[in-house]
Amino acid sequence: MDDLDKFLNKQLENPEFAEEWERSKPEYEVMRLLVEARSEMGMSQSELARRTGIKQPNISRLERGACSPTLDTLAALAQGLGKEMRISFV
């Protein structure tokens, strides 16, 4: 477990933080998956921008969680990453 996980686990002991974390979980998951997929491919934000037609600053904002992507944007990102987008309700 790294320091970030330890810090997060400590913060999750606070009920208000835990409630907000749970509410925001889908957004964090999208950010994590985007960064992870891009990194695994050794692809820069600029390269992903070129492949998708999405401007690099917009990709940066998505990865930082500064904005929320539309389904069309997520589909374009998935295609640019050579991935398939799946949405599920579990």
Side-chain angles (χ1 to χ4, degrees), residues 33-35 37-39 41-56 58-60 62-63 73-83:
L33 290 170
L34 177 57
V35 172
R38 188 176 58 74
S39 295
M41 296 187 69
M43 188 183 302
S44 67
Q45 289 180 350
S46 296
E47 174 63 16
L48 183 56
R50 189 187 65 72
R51 290 183 180 205
T52 61
I54 298 169
K55 294 180 180 180
Q56 181 275 326
N58 293 339
I59 291 172
S60 177
L62 289 168
E63 289 186 358
T73 299
L74 288 174
L77 290 166
Q79 184 177 17
L81 291 163
K83 304 282 186 182

Side-chain angles (χ1 to χ4, degrees), residues 61-75:
R61 282 192 275 286
L62 289 168
E63 289 186 358
R64 289 192 328 265
C67 63
S68 296
T70 65
L71 290 175
D72 287 342
T73 299
L74 288 174

